[in-house]
Amino acid sequence: SSVVPAVPAGRAFSVVRVSLCRCTFVPPGRRPLQQTRACPTRIIPRSSRSSGCGDVAFPRYRRTSHAATNVAMTQTTALPPPGAVPQGDGRVNFSLFAPEKTRVSVIGDFNGWDEAADPLEATGDGWWWIEKHLGAGEHRYQFSIDGQTIVDPYARQVVPVPDAPLPHAVVRTDAPPFGWRHDDFAARRPAWRDLVLYELHVGDFSAEGTLAAVIDRLDNLRDLGVNAIELLPLTEGALAEGWGYQPIYPFAVRAGYGTPDDLKRLVDACHERGIAVILDIVLAHSAESCPLNRMYPYEESPWYGAGIGGTNTFGLPTFDHRKPATQAFAQEVQRYWLDEFHIDGLRVDAVAS
């Protein structure tokens, strides 16, 4: 349910809709996660530092010391970030955390979808990885884990496959860096207490239901006095026409809304108009079909469990944030949206569970 809390004297602010959560507040120039106040929503602002998210960031290279549900995450030897990460010159690092599995392979249009062609190397501590030279262009792939096909839970883009039960993850090796035109916005971003938030569902905001169509209407929002938009979840999730609160692929922009670059163009256009961008994300639970939920029996999962807040309100698979693997995953999600898309803050949904 939504509530409007009392506002202390001298701290007036305007919102369109607020929820009972907590907020992590970061003044300009300060590092995130240093100061927490009781606020209407949990928002993790993007730091003005060049790294994009300061202490929110989870170390990019890490290993695990034990393959079990109480996985202990450590930073010892360099490994690539999870998923498929282009390294330049057509090379891609594929890596996946899958403790206690016996065989992990990457399958794709580059090897005939043959699970015997490209087995990943096990590090002995739950991580699997391989470097492949794929050449320039766009490549589709999945993982095979002990004979079970799953989509990469860290996929940055997924595309549906006609008459197939699972989509394909996509990695592009020759994507040029995005040309940010208004990357100085952190210095002129409105203070938290001055935000006038407009909650926006991309699918309902325009007849087109796309990120590009939102850009076409930004001047209308600015003229209303709005200086921040809160985007409802943008990731691929269950119920394609829903609000996005049952995530399946928490790193992938929903294909029906547009491409990752479309989202970057939207953020850049907002910043051009002095509008901050807050993104709703879900770290409490996932949809049943999330790849992380398909990899293990629920009671053996490195990520799922009873949950700190008890039974999930919606009866969905619940992330247990006492587990180090879950903590690492949550930090990777935050880091990605803050760094890659220059999002100004995150609203974390369903923190009660």
Side-chain angles (χ1 to χ4, degrees):
S1 61
S2 298
V3 298
V4 179
V7 180
R11 292 296 182 93
F13 61 95
S14 299
V15 295
V16 172
R17 193 268 305 161
V18 294
S19 301
L20 187 59
C21 306
R22 289 188 65 80
C23 169
T24 300
F25 174 80
V26 183
R30 291 286 299 277
R31 303 178 70 186
L33 303 184
Q34 297 296 307
Q35 180 178 354
T36 302
R37 300 179 183 177
C39 289
T41 57
R42 178 171 173 78
I43 294 180
I44 305 172
R46 181 173 179 267
S47 168
S48 60
R49 298 166 65 233
S50 61
S51 64
C53 57
D55 287 348
V56 172
F58 176 69
R60 283 186 176 273
Y61 304 112
R62 66 246 184 253
R63 293 208 181 191
T64 58
S65 60
H66 188 259
T69 55
N70 288 326
V71 169
M73 311 298 285
T74 61
Q75 186 177 4
T76 54
T77 307
L79 282 177
V85 182
Q87 302 297 304
D89 301 324
R91 294 177 296 112
V92 177
N93 275 329
F94 293 92
S95 64
L96 184 69
F97 183 63
E100 298 184 347
K101 300 298 184 179
T102 60
R103 181 180 176 84
V104 178
S105 301
V106 60
I107 56 177
D109 55 12
F110 45 84
N111 63 12
W113 303 93
D114 181 2
E115 66 177 28
D118 291 306
L120 275 64
E121 176 186 348
T123 66
D125 50 20
W127 281 99
W128 300 74
W129 76 284
I130 190 175
E131 182 178 277
K132 286 281 296 178
H133 189 279
L134 302 183
E138 182 178 286
H139 304 274
R140 299 188 177 196
Y141 73 98
Q142 295 170 331
F143 286 118
S144 175
I145 305 175
D146 290 346
Q148 178 191 22
T149 300
I150 70 160
V151 182
D152 181 4
Y154 284 86
R156 271 48 173 174
Q157 186 177 358
V158 296
V159 293
V161 181
D163 301 321
L166 296 175
H168 290 160
V170 175
V171 58
R172 184 178 173 187
T173 59
D174 58 354
F178 184 79
W180 294 100
R181 298 179 297 117
H182 303 282
D183 209 22
D184 61 343
F185 181 68
R188 51 190 175 87
R189 182 171 51 215
W192 157 252
R193 63 181 177 271
D194 298 326
L195 293 184
V196 181
L197 283 165
Y198 184 97
E199 184 186 76
L200 192 156
H201 180 254
V202 171
D204 289 338
F205 186 68
S206 67
E208 299 86 348
T210 63
L211 294 161
V214 175
I215 296 176
D216 295 338
R217 293 159 176 79
L218 285 180
D219 289 342
N220 296 337
L221 294 180
R222 180 194 58 194
D223 293 345
L224 286 173
V226 171
N227 63 5
I229 60 173
E230 178 191 337
L231 297 171
L232 270 64
L234 299 176
T235 58
E236 293 285 1
L239 306 173
E241 301 304 319
W243 284 8
Y245 290 100
Q246 295 186 32
I248 301 176
Y249 308 107
F251 295 85
V253 174
R254 183 174 293 190
Y257 291 168
T259 67
D261 275 359
D262 287 336
L263 176 56
K264 293 176 182 178
R265 280 187 280 270
L266 171 58
V267 173
D268 210 33
C270 286
H271 290 172
E272 179 183 11
R273 293 163 175 79
I275 299 174
V277 181
I278 311 299
L279 177 64
D280 270 23
I281 61 172
V282 182
L283 297 174
H285 57 255
S286 74
E288 293 279 353
S289 53
C290 176
L292 296 178
N293 190 48
R294 298 181 64 240
M295 289 172 62
Y296 295 87
Y298 193 79
E299 63 276 5
E300 299 175 12
S301 173
W303 300 281
Y304 295 94
I308 295 175
T311 304
N312 183 270
T313 305
F314 310 102
L316 294 169
T318 304
F319 287 116
D320 187 345
H321 286 268
R322 290 166 295 199
K323 296 183 177 181
T326 304
Q327 296 169 9
F329 172 76
Q331 292 180 44
E332 287 283 6
V333 171
Q334 295 171 77
R335 179 188 185 108
Y336 177 67
W337 293 101
L338 293 170
D339 273 2
E340 184 69 18
F341 296 98
H342 295 198
I343 297 293
D344 297 290
L346 303 172
R347 176 191 171 271
V348 180
D349 187 69
V351 295
S353 59

